[in-house]
Amino acid sequence: RARHKRTGARPAVESQQALQQRAGRMLVQLDDAVRSGEQELGFAQAQFGDGAAGEFQQALDAAKSGLREAFAIQQRLDDAYPEAPDEARAMVMQVIQIAEAAGAKLDAQSAAFDDLRELEQRLPAALPQVETERAALAARFPAADAALATLAGTYAPTAFAPVKSNVEQAGGLLRFVEERRTAAQSAIERGATGEAA
């Protein structure tokens, strides 16, 4: 995250030395992020369960793979056999791109867990709000069905086809909302607020 907070105009064309220094810093930062990510993954699995931590695990695995690849490129750059200037520049840029992409994935997953932790804190107010919104949406179904019937009688079947199943799909989503809300309420009653979130 600190990497994203730093801003500053870079010269239009960085020198090879400046690029290599930047790539080295980014590799160290990514290595640190992977280490702290492993700890955060453990906490997240304990707090929210393996299911909620699945995407974080994937991002962490991808970051580790990227880190290995970037270190291998860096080793080739540092060995006793110098590359041609264009090749060396391309290799350094590849290290930077790998580090940026892996870091962005880890940052996104960390932000998602921050959001989940925030939700866990406000669950007592969130669940009643979910039920209120679900009930309000369910009350709109008769009017939506009537509107669909009007559309079906007014327009050709090909024109009506794209919206024909919208109400049915919305009903399925509302059933899903109710199932998840009920499961969250049950988890809260058992004291499993992480699971509920």
Side-chain angles (χ1 to χ4, degrees), residues 81-173:
Y81 307 101
E83 286 76 18
D86 287 346
E87 184 183 1
R89 187 172 190 84
M91 290 170 72
V92 171
M93 292 305 295
Q94 187 178 4
V95 168
I96 290 171
Q97 289 169 350
I98 290 169
E100 283 177 343
K105 285 181 182 178
L106 287 176
D107 287 348
Q109 291 303 317
S110 291
F113 277 121
D114 290 345
D115 292 345
L116 205 51
R117 288 182 182 103
E118 180 190 340
L119 176 60
E120 182 181 16
Q121 296 301 313
R122 54 184 183 84
L123 270 176
L127 280 181
Q129 179 183 353
V130 167
E131 176 52 27
T132 299
E133 291 178 19
R134 188 205 60 78
L137 289 170
R140 294 170 55 186
F141 273 70
D145 280 330
L148 281 178
T150 301
L151 289 173
T154 306
Y155 296 99
T158 55
F160 174 68
V163 297
K164 184 177 181 180
S165 63
N166 285 6
V167 173
E168 183 180 326
Q169 290 174 3
L173 290 171

Coordinates of all heavy atoms in Angstrom, one line a residue, residues 81-173:
Y81 N 27.5 -12.9 -17.0 CA 27.4 -12.8 -18.4 C 26.4 -11.7 -18.7 O 25.2 -11.8 -18.7 CB 26.8 -14.1 -19.0 CG 27.7 -15.3 -18.6 CD1 27.2 -16.2 -17.6 CD2 28.9 -15.6 -19.2 CE1 28.0 -17.2 -17.2 CE2 29.7 -16.7 -18.8 CZ 29.2 -17.5 -17.8 OH 30.0 -18.5 -17.4
P82 N 26.9 -10.5 -19.0 CA 26.1 -9.3 -19.3 C 25.2 -9.5 -20.5 O 25.6 -10.1 -21.5 CB 27.0 -8.2 -19.4 CG 28.4 -8.8 -19.7 CD 28.4 -10.2 -19.2
E83 N 24.0 -9.0 -20.4 CA 23.1 -9.0 -21.5 C 23.3 -7.7 -22.4 O 23.8 -6.8 -21.9 CB 21.6 -9.1 -21.0 CG 21.2 -10.4 -20.5 CD 21.7 -10.7 -19.1 OE1 22.2 -9.8 -18.4 OE2 21.7 -11.9 -18.7
A84 N 22.8 -7.8 -23.6 CA 22.8 -6.6 -24.4 C 21.9 -5.5 -23.8 O 21.0 -5.9 -23.1 CB 22.3 -6.9 -25.8
P85 N 22.2 -4.3 -23.9 CA 21.4 -3.2 -23.2 C 19.9 -3.3 -23.4 O 19.2 -3.2 -22.4 CB 22.0 -1.9 -23.8 CG 23.4 -2.3 -24.2 CD 23.3 -3.7 -24.7
D86 N 19.5 -3.6 -24.6 CA 18.0 -3.7 -24.9 C 17.4 -4.9 -24.1 O 16.3 -4.8 -23.6 CB 17.7 -3.8 -26.4 CG 17.9 -2.4 -27.1 OD1 18.1 -1.4 -26.4 OD2 17.9 -2.5 -28.3
E87 N 18.1 -6.0 -24.1 CA 17.7 -7.2 -23.5 C 17.6 -7.0 -22.0 O 16.7 -7.3 -21.3 CB 18.6 -8.4 -23.8 CG 18.1 -9.7 -23.2 CD 19.0 -10.8 -23.5 OE1 20.0 -10.7 -24.2 OE2 18.6 -12.0 -23.1
A88 N 18.7 -6.3 -21.4 CA 18.8 -6.1 -20.0 C 17.6 -5.1 -19.6 O 17.0 -5.4 -18.5 CB 20.1 -5.4 -19.6
R89 N 17.3 -4.1 -20.4 CA 16.2 -3.2 -20.1 C 14.9 -4.0 -20.1 O 14.1 -3.8 -19.2 CB 16.2 -2.0 -21.0 CG 15.2 -1.0 -20.7 CD 15.4 0.3 -21.6 NE 14.6 1.4 -21.1 CZ 15.0 2.2 -20.2 NH1 16.2 2.1 -19.6 NH2 14.2 3.2 -19.8
A90 N 14.7 -4.8 -21.1 CA 13.5 -5.6 -21.2 C 13.3 -6.5 -20.0 O 12.2 -6.7 -19.4 CB 13.4 -6.4 -22.5
M91 N 14.4 -7.1 -19.5 CA 14.4 -8.0 -18.4 C 14.0 -7.2 -17.1 O 13.2 -7.7 -16.3 CB 15.7 -8.7 -18.2 CG 15.9 -9.7 -19.3 SD 17.6 -10.4 -19.4 CE 17.6 -11.5 -17.9
V92 N 14.6 -6.1 -16.9 CA 14.3 -5.3 -15.7 C 12.8 -4.8 -15.8 O 12.1 -4.9 -14.7 CB 15.2 -4.0 -15.6 CG1 14.8 -3.1 -14.5 CG2 16.7 -4.5 -15.4
M93 N 12.3 -4.4 -16.9 CA 10.9 -4.0 -17.0 C 10.0 -5.2 -16.7 O 9.0 -5.0 -16.1 CB 10.6 -3.5 -18.4 CG 11.3 -2.1 -18.7 SD 11.0 -0.8 -17.5 CE 9.2 -0.6 -17.8
Q94 N 10.4 -6.4 -17.1 CA 9.6 -7.6 -16.8 C 9.6 -7.8 -15.3 O 8.5 -8.1 -14.7 CB 10.2 -8.8 -17.5 CG 9.3 -10.0 -17.4 CD 9.9 -11.2 -18.1 OE1 11.0 -11.2 -18.7 NE2 9.1 -12.3 -18.1
V95 N 10.7 -7.6 -14.6 CA 10.7 -7.8 -13.1 C 9.8 -6.8 -12.5 O 9.0 -7.1 -11.6 CB 12.1 -7.6 -12.6 CG1 12.1 -7.4 -11.1 CG2 13.0 -8.8 -13.0
I96 N 9.8 -5.5 -13.0 CA 8.9 -4.5 -12.5 C 7.5 -4.8 -12.7 O 6.6 -4.7 -11.8 CB 9.3 -3.1 -13.1 CG1 10.7 -2.7 -12.5 CG2 8.3 -2.1 -12.8 CD1 11.3 -1.4 -13.2
Q97 N 7.1 -5.3 -13.9 CA 5.8 -5.6 -14.2 C 5.2 -6.8 -13.3 O 4.1 -6.7 -12.9 CB 5.6 -6.0 -15.7 CG 5.8 -4.8 -16.6 CD 5.9 -5.1 -18.1 OE1 6.1 -6.3 -18.4 NE2 5.8 -4.1 -18.9
I98 N 6.1 -7.8 -13.2 CA 5.7 -8.9 -12.3 C 5.4 -8.4 -10.9 O 4.4 -8.8 -10.3 CB 6.8 -10.0 -12.3 CG1 6.8 -10.7 -13.7 CG2 6.6 -11.0 -11.2 CD1 8.0 -11.6 -13.9
A99 N 6.3 -7.6 -10.4 CA 6.2 -7.1 -9.0 C 5.0 -6.3 -8.8 O 4.2 -6.4 -7.8 CB 7.4 -6.4 -8.6
E100 N 4.7 -5.4 -9.8 CA 3.5 -4.5 -9.7 C 2.2 -5.3 -9.8 O 1.3 -5.1 -9.0 CB 3.5 -3.5 -10.9 CG 4.5 -2.4 -10.7 CD 4.5 -1.4 -11.9 OE1 4.1 -1.8 -13.0 OE2 5.1 -0.3 -11.7
A101 N 2.2 -6.3 -10.7 CA 0.9 -7.1 -10.8 C 0.7 -7.9 -9.6 O -0.4 -8.0 -9.1 CB 1.0 -8.0 -12.1
A102 N 1.7 -8.6 -9.1 CA 1.5 -9.4 -7.9 C 1.2 -8.6 -6.7 O 0.3 -8.9 -5.9 CB 2.8 -10.2 -7.6
G103 N 1.8 -7.4 -6.5 CA 1.5 -6.5 -5.4 C 0.1 -6.0 -5.5 O -0.6 -5.9 -4.5
A104 N -0.4 -5.7 -6.7 CA -1.7 -5.2 -6.8 C -2.7 -6.2 -6.4 O -3.8 -5.9 -5.8 CB -2.0 -4.7 -8.3
K105 N -2.5 -7.5 -6.8 CA -3.4 -8.6 -6.4 C -3.5 -8.8 -4.9 O -4.5 -8.9 -4.3 CB -3.0 -9.9 -7.1 CG -3.3 -10.0 -8.6 CD -2.9 -11.3 -9.2 CE -3.2 -11.3 -10.6 NZ -2.8 -12.6 -11.2
L106 N -2.3 -8.7 -4.3 CA -2.3 -8.9 -2.8 C -3.0 -7.7 -2.2 O -3.7 -7.9 -1.2 CB -0.8 -9.0 -2.3 CG -0.1 -10.3 -2.6 CD1 1.3 -10.3 -2.2 CD2 -0.9 -11.5 -2.0
D107 N -2.7 -6.5 -2.7 CA -3.4 -5.3 -2.1 C -4.9 -5.4 -2.2 O -5.6 -5.1 -1.3 CB -2.9 -4.0 -2.8 CG -1.5 -3.6 -2.4 OD1 -0.9 -4.2 -1.5 OD2 -0.9 -2.8 -3.1
A108 N -5.4 -5.9 -3.3 CA -6.8 -6.0 -3.5 C -7.4 -7.0 -2.6 O -8.5 -6.7 -2.0 CB -7.1 -6.4 -5.0
Q109 N -6.7 -8.1 -2.3 CA -7.3 -9.1 -1.4 C -7.2 -8.6 0.0 O -8.1 -8.9 0.8 CB -6.5 -10.4 -1.6 CG -6.8 -11.1 -2.9 CD -8.3 -11.4 -3.1 OE1 -9.0 -11.8 -2.2 NE2 -8.8 -11.1 -4.3
S110 N -6.1 -7.9 0.4 CA -6.1 -7.3 1.7 C -7.2 -6.3 1.9 O -7.8 -6.3 3.0 CB -4.7 -6.6 1.9 OG -3.7 -7.5 1.9
A111 N -7.5 -5.5 0.9 CA -8.6 -4.5 1.0 C -9.9 -5.3 1.2 O -10.8 -4.9 2.0 CB -8.6 -3.6 -0.2
A112 N -10.1 -6.4 0.5 CA -11.3 -7.2 0.6 C -11.5 -7.7 2.0 O -12.6 -7.7 2.6 CB -11.3 -8.3 -0.4
F113 N -10.4 -8.1 2.7 CA -10.5 -8.6 4.0 C -10.7 -7.5 5.0 O -11.4 -7.6 6.0 CB -9.2 -9.4 4.5 CG -9.3 -10.8 4.0 CD1 -8.3 -11.3 3.2 CD2 -10.3 -11.6 4.4 CE1 -8.4 -12.6 2.7 CE2 -10.4 -13.0 4.0 CZ -9.4 -13.5 3.1
D114 N -10.2 -6.3 4.7 CA -10.5 -5.1 5.5 C -12.0 -4.8 5.5 O -12.6 -4.6 6.5 CB -9.7 -3.9 5.1 CG -8.2 -4.0 5.4 OD1 -7.8 -4.9 6.2 OD2 -7.5 -3.2 4.8
D115 N -12.6 -4.9 4.3 CA -14.0 -4.7 4.2 C -14.8 -5.8 4.9 O -15.8 -5.5 5.6 CB -14.4 -4.8 2.7 CG -13.9 -3.6 1.9 OD1 -13.5 -2.6 2.5 OD2 -13.9 -3.7 0.6
L116 N -14.3 -7.0 4.9 CA -15.0 -8.1 5.6 C -14.9 -7.9 7.1 O -15.9 -8.1 7.8 CB -14.4 -9.4 5.2 CG -15.2 -10.7 5.3 CD1 -16.6 -10.6 4.6 CD2 -14.4 -11.9 4.7
R117 N -13.8 -7.4 7.6 CA -13.7 -7.2 9.0 C -14.6 -6.0 9.4 O -15.2 -6.1 10.5 CB -12.2 -6.9 9.3 CG -11.3 -8.1 9.3 CD -9.9 -7.7 9.7 NE -9.1 -8.9 9.5 CZ -8.2 -9.2 8.5 NH1 -8.1 -8.3 7.6 NH2 -7.6 -10.3 8.5
E118 N -14.7 -5.0 8.6 CA -15.6 -3.9 8.9 C -17.1 -4.4 8.9 O -17.8 -4.0 9.8 CB -15.5 -2.8 7.8 CG -16.4 -1.6 8.1 CD -16.4 -0.7 6.9 OE1 -15.5 -0.7 6.1 OE2 -17.4 0.1 6.8
L119 N -17.4 -5.3 8.0 CA -18.8 -5.8 7.9 C -19.0 -6.6 9.2 O -20.1 -6.5 9.8 CB -19.0 -6.7 6.7 CG -20.3 -7.4 6.6 CD1 -21.5 -6.5 6.6 CD2 -20.3 -8.4 5.4
E120 N -18.0 -7.4 9.7 CA -18.2 -8.2 10.9 C -18.5 -7.2 12.1 O -19.4 -7.6 12.9 CB -16.9 -8.9 11.2 CG -17.0 -9.8 12.4 CD -15.7 -10.6 12.7 OE1 -14.7 -10.2 12.1 OE2 -15.8 -11.5 13.4
Q121 N -17.9 -6.1 12.1 CA -18.2 -5.1 13.2 C -19.6 -4.5 13.2 O -20.2 -4.3 14.2 CB -17.2 -4.0 13.2 CG -15.7 -4.4 13.4 CD -15.5 -5.1 14.7 OE1 -16.0 -4.6 15.7 NE2 -14.9 -6.3 14.7
R122 N -20.1 -4.4 12.0 CA -21.5 -3.8 11.9 C -22.6 -4.7 11.6 O -23.7 -4.4 11.1 CB -21.4 -2.6 10.9 CG -21.0 -2.9 9.5 CD -20.9 -1.6 8.7 NE -20.5 -2.0 7.3 CZ -21.3 -2.4 6.4 NH1 -22.6 -2.5 6.6 NH2 -20.8 -2.8 5.2
L123 N -22.3 -6.0 11.8 CA -23.3 -7.1 11.5 C -24.7 -6.8 12.2 O -25.7 -7.0 11.6 CB -22.8 -8.4 11.8 CG -22.1 -9.2 10.7 CD1 -21.5 -10.5 11.2 CD2 -23.0 -9.4 9.5
P124 N -24.6 -6.5 13.5 CA -25.9 -6.3 14.2 C -26.9 -5.3 13.5 O -28.1 -5.5 13.5 CB -25.5 -5.8 15.6 CG -24.1 -6.3 15.8 CD -23.5 -6.3 14.4
A125 N -26.3 -4.3 12.9 CA -27.2 -3.3 12.1 C -27.4 -3.8 10.7 O -28.4 -3.5 10.1 CB -26.5 -2.0 12.1
A126 N -26.4 -4.5 10.1 CA -26.5 -4.9 8.7 C -27.6 -5.9 8.4 O -28.3 -5.8 7.4 CB -25.1 -5.4 8.2
L127 N -27.7 -6.9 9.3 CA -28.7 -8.0 9.0 C -30.1 -7.5 8.9 O -30.8 -7.8 8.0 CB -28.5 -9.1 9.9 CG -27.4 -10.1 9.6 CD1 -27.3 -11.2 10.6 CD2 -27.5 -10.6 8.2
P128 N -30.5 -6.7 9.9 CA -31.9 -6.2 9.8 C -32.1 -5.3 8.5 O -33.1 -5.3 7.9 CB -32.1 -5.3 11.0 CG -31.1 -5.9 12.0 CD -29.9 -6.3 11.2
Q129 N -31.1 -4.6 8.2 CA -31.1 -3.7 7.0 C -31.3 -4.6 5.7 O -32.0 -4.3 4.8 CB -29.9 -2.9 6.8 CG -29.9 -2.0 5.6 CD -28.6 -1.2 5.5 OE1 -27.7 -1.2 6.4 NE2 -28.4 -0.5 4.4
V130 N -30.5 -5.7 5.7 CA -30.6 -6.6 4.5 C -32.1 -7.2 4.5 O -32.7 -7.2 3.4 CB -29.6 -7.8 4.7 CG1 -30.0 -8.9 3.7 CG2 -28.2 -7.3 4.5
E131 N -32.7 -7.5 5.6 CA -34.0 -8.1 5.6 C -35.0 -7.0 5.1 O -35.9 -7.3 4.3 CB -34.4 -8.6 6.9 CG -35.8 -9.1 7.0 CD -36.2 -10.1 6.0 OE1 -35.4 -10.8 5.4 OE2 -37.4 -10.1 5.6
T132 N -34.8 -5.8 5.6 CA -35.7 -4.7 5.2 C -35.7 -4.5 3.7 O -36.7 -4.3 3.0 CB -35.3 -3.4 5.9 OG1 -35.5 -3.6 7.3 CG2 -36.2 -2.2 5.5
E133 N -34.4 -4.4 3.1 CA -34.3 -4.2 1.7 C -34.8 -5.4 0.9 O -35.4 -5.2 -0.2 CB -32.8 -4.0 1.4 CG -32.3 -2.6 1.9 CD -30.9 -2.4 1.6 OE1 -30.3 -3.0 0.7 OE2 -30.3 -1.5 2.3
R134 N -34.6 -6.6 1.4 CA -35.1 -7.8 0.7 C -36.6 -7.8 0.6 O -37.2 -8.0 -0.4 CB -34.6 -9.1 1.4 CG -35.0 -10.4 0.6 CD -35.1 -11.6 1.5 NE -36.1 -11.4 2.5 CZ -37.4 -11.6 2.3 NH1 -37.9 -11.9 1.1 NH2 -38.3 -11.5 3.3
A135 N -37.3 -7.4 1.8 CA -38.7 -7.4 1.8 C -39.3 -6.3 0.9 O -40.3 -6.5 0.2 CB -39.2 -7.1 3.2
A136 N -38.6 -5.2 0.8 CA -39.0 -4.1 -0.1 C -38.9 -4.5 -1.5 O -39.8 -4.2 -2.3 CB -38.2 -2.8 0.2
L137 N -37.9 -5.2 -1.9 CA -37.7 -5.7 -3.3 C -38.7 -6.8 -3.6 O -39.3 -6.8 -4.7 CB -36.3 -6.2 -3.5 CG -35.2 -5.1 -3.5 CD1 -33.8 -5.8 -3.5 CD2 -35.4 -4.2 -4.7
A138 N -39.0 -7.7 -2.6 CA -40.0 -8.7 -2.9 C -41.4 -8.1 -3.1 O -42.2 -8.6 -3.9 CB -40.0 -9.7 -1.7
A139 N -41.7 -7.0 -2.4 CA -43.0 -6.3 -2.6 C -43.1 -5.8 -4.0 O -44.3 -5.5 -4.5 CB -43.1 -5.2 -1.6
R140 N -42.0 -5.6 -4.7 CA -42.1 -5.0 -6.1 C -42.4 -6.1 -7.2 O -42.6 -5.7 -8.3 CB -40.8 -4.3 -6.4 CG -40.6 -3.0 -5.5 CD -39.3 -2.4 -5.6 NE -38.9 -2.1 -7.0 CZ -37.7 -1.7 -7.3 NH1 -36.7 -1.5 -6.4 NH2 -37.4 -1.4 -8.6
F141 N -42.4 -7.3 -6.8 CA -42.5 -8.4 -7.8 C -43.9 -8.4 -8.5 O -43.9 -8.6 -9.7 CB -42.3 -9.8 -7.1 CG -40.8 -10.1 -7.2 CD1 -39.9 -9.5 -6.4 CD2 -40.4 -11.1 -8.1 CE1 -38.6 -9.8 -6.5 CE2 -39.0 -11.5 -8.1 CZ -38.1 -10.8 -7.3
P142 N -45.0 -8.2 -7.8 CA -46.3 -8.2 -8.5 C -46.3 -7.1 -9.6 O -46.8 -7.3 -10.7 CB -47.3 -7.9 -7.4 CG -46.7 -8.4 -6.2 CD -45.2 -8.1 -6.3
A143 N -45.8 -5.9 -9.3 CA -45.8 -4.8 -10.3 C -44.9 -5.2 -11.5 O -45.2 -4.9 -12.6 CB -45.4 -3.5 -9.7
A144 N -43.7 -5.8 -11.2 CA -42.8 -6.2 -12.2 C -43.4 -7.3 -13.1 O -43.3 -7.3 -14.3 CB -41.5 -6.7 -11.6
D145 N -44.1 -8.3 -12.5 CA -44.8 -9.3 -13.3 C -45.9 -8.6 -14.2 O -46.0 -9.0 -15.4 CB -45.5 -10.3 -12.4 CG -44.5 -11.3 -11.9 OD1 -43.5 -11.7 -12.6 OD2 -44.7 -11.8 -10.7
A146 N -46.6 -7.7 -13.7 CA -47.6 -7.0 -14.5 C -47.0 -6.2 -15.6 O -47.5 -6.2 -16.7 CB -48.4 -6.0 -13.6
A147 N -45.9 -5.6 -15.3 CA -45.2 -4.8 -16.4 C -44.7 -5.8 -17.5 O -44.8 -5.5 -18.7 CB -44.0 -4.0 -15.8
L148 N -44.2 -6.9 -17.1 CA -43.7 -7.9 -18.1 C -44.9 -8.4 -18.9 O -44.8 -8.6 -20.2 CB -43.1 -9.1 -17.4 CG -41.6 -8.9 -17.0 CD1 -41.1 -10.1 -16.2 CD2 -40.7 -8.5 -18.1
A149 N -46.1 -8.6 -18.3 CA -47.2 -9.1 -19.0 C -47.6 -8.0 -20.1 O -48.0 -8.3 -21.2 CB -48.4 -9.4 -18.1
T150 N -47.6 -6.7 -19.7 CA -47.9 -5.6 -20.6 C -46.9 -5.6 -21.8 O -47.3 -5.5 -22.9 CB -47.8 -4.3 -19.8 OG1 -48.8 -4.3 -18.8 CG2 -48.2 -3.1 -20.8
L151 N -45.6 -5.8 -21.4 CA -44.6 -5.8 -22.5 C -44.8 -7.0 -23.5 O -44.7 -6.8 -24.7 CB -43.2 -5.9 -21.9 CG -42.7 -4.7 -21.2 CD1 -41.4 -5.0 -20.5 CD2 -42.5 -3.5 -22.1
A152 N -45.2 -8.1 -22.9 CA -45.4 -9.3 -23.7 C -46.6 -9.1 -24.7 O -46.6 -9.6 -25.8 CB -45.6 -10.5 -22.9
G153 N -47.6 -8.3 -24.2 CA -48.7 -8.1 -25.1 C -48.5 -7.0 -26.1 O -49.2 -6.8 -27.0
T154 N -47.5 -6.1 -25.8 CA -47.3 -5.0 -26.7 C -46.2 -5.2 -27.7 O -46.4 -4.7 -28.8 CB -46.9 -3.7 -25.8 OG1 -47.9 -3.6 -24.7 CG2 -46.8 -2.5 -26.6
Y155 N -45.2 -5.9 -27.4 CA -44.0 -6.0 -28.3 C -43.9 -7.4 -28.8 O -44.4 -8.4 -28.3 CB -42.8 -5.6 -27.5 CG -42.8 -4.2 -27.1 CD1 -43.1 -3.8 -25.8 CD2 -42.4 -3.2 -28.0 CE1 -43.1 -2.5 -25.4 CE2 -42.5 -1.8 -27.6 CZ -42.8 -1.5 -26.3 OH -42.8 -0.2 -25.9
A156 N -43.2 -7.5 -29.9 CA -42.9 -8.8 -30.5 C -42.0 -9.6 -29.6 O -41.3 -9.1 -28.8 CB -42.1 -8.6 -31.9
P157 N -42.2 -11.0 -29.7 CA -41.4 -11.9 -28.8 C -39.9 -11.6 -28.9 O -39.2 -11.7 -27.9 CB -41.8 -13.3 -29.3 CG -43.1 -13.1 -29.9 CD -43.1 -11.7 -30.5
T158 N -39.4 -11.3 -30.0 CA -37.9 -11.0 -30.2 C -37.5 -9.8 -29.4 O -36.4 -9.7 -28.8 CB -37.5 -10.9 -31.6 OG1 -38.3 -9.9 -32.3 CG2 -37.7 -12.2 -32.4
A159 N -38.4 -8.8 -29.4 CA -38.0 -7.5 -28.7 C -38.2 -7.7 -27.1 O -37.4 -7.1 -26.4 CB -39.0 -6.4 -29.1
F160 N -39.1 -8.6 -26.8 CA -39.4 -8.9 -25.3 C -38.4 -9.9 -24.7 O -38.2 -9.9 -23.5 CB -40.8 -9.3 -25.2 CG -41.2 -9.8 -23.9 CD1 -41.4 -8.9 -22.9 CD2 -41.5 -11.1 -23.6 CE1 -41.8 -9.3 -21.6 CE2 -41.9 -11.5 -22.4 CZ -42.0 -10.6 -21.4
A161 N -37.8 -10.7 -25.6 CA -36.9 -11.8 -25.1 C -35.8 -11.4 -24.1 O -35.6 -12.1 -23.1 CB -36.3 -12.5 -26.3
P162 N -35.1 -10.3 -24.3 CA -34.0 -10.0 -23.4 C -34.4 -9.7 -22.0 O -33.6 -9.9 -21.1 CB -33.4 -8.7 -24.0 CG -33.8 -8.7 -25.5 CD -35.1 -9.4 -25.5
V163 N -35.7 -9.3 -21.7 CA -36.1 -9.1 -20.4 C -37.1 -10.1 -19.8 O -37.5 -10.0 -18.7 CB -36.7 -7.6 -20.3 CG1 -35.7 -6.6 -20.6 CG2 -38.0 -7.5 -21.1
K164 N -37.4 -11.1 -20.6 CA -38.5 -12.0 -20.3 C -38.2 -12.7 -18.9 O -39.1 -13.0 -18.1 CB -38.6 -13.1 -21.4 CG -39.7 -14.1 -21.2 CD -39.8 -15.0 -22.4 CE -41.0 -16.0 -22.2 NZ -41.1 -16.9 -23.3
S165 N -36.9 -13.1 -18.7 CA -36.6 -13.9 -17.5 C -36.1 -13.0 -16.3 O -35.6 -13.5 -15.3 CB -35.6 -15.0 -17.8 OG -34.4 -14.4 -18.3
N166 N -36.1 -11.7 -16.5 CA -35.5 -10.8 -15.4 C -36.2 -11.0 -14.1 O -35.5 -11.1 -13.0 CB -35.6 -9.4 -15.9 CG -34.6 -9.0 -16.9 OD1 -33.9 -9.9 -17.4 ND2 -34.5 -7.7 -17.2
V167 N -37.5 -11.1 -14.0 CA -38.2 -11.2 -12.7 C -37.8 -12.6 -12.1 O -37.6 -12.7 -10.9 CB -39.7 -11.0 -12.9 CG1 -40.4 -11.4 -11.6 CG2 -40.0 -9.6 -13.3
E168 N -37.8 -13.6 -12.9 CA -37.4 -14.9 -12.4 C -36.0 -14.9 -11.9 O -35.8 -15.5 -10.8 CB -37.6 -15.9 -13.5 CG -37.3 -17.4 -13.1 CD -37.4 -18.3 -14.3 OE1 -38.2 -18.1 -15.2 OE2 -36.6 -19.3 -14.3
Q169 N -35.1 -14.3 -12.6 CA -33.7 -14.2 -12.1 C -33.6 -13.4 -10.8 O -32.9 -13.8 -9.9 CB -32.8 -13.6 -13.1 CG -32.6 -14.5 -14.3 CD -31.8 -13.8 -15.4 OE1 -31.4 -12.6 -15.3 NE2 -31.6 -14.4 -16.6
A170 N -34.4 -12.3 -10.7 CA -34.4 -11.5 -9.5 C -34.9 -12.3 -8.3 O -34.4 -12.2 -7.2 CB -35.2 -10.2 -9.7
G171 N -35.9 -13.1 -8.6 CA -36.5 -13.9 -7.5 C -35.4 -14.9 -7.0 O -35.3 -15.2 -5.8
G172 N -34.7 -15.5 -7.9 CA -33.6 -16.4 -7.5 C -32.6 -15.7 -6.7 O -32.1 -16.3 -5.7
L173 N -32.2 -14.5 -7.0 CA -31.3 -13.7 -6.3 C -31.8 -13.4 -4.9 O -31.1 -13.4 -3.9 CB -30.9 -12.5 -7.0 CG -30.0 -12.7 -8.3 CD1 -29.9 -11.4 -9.1 CD2 -28.7 -13.2 -7.9

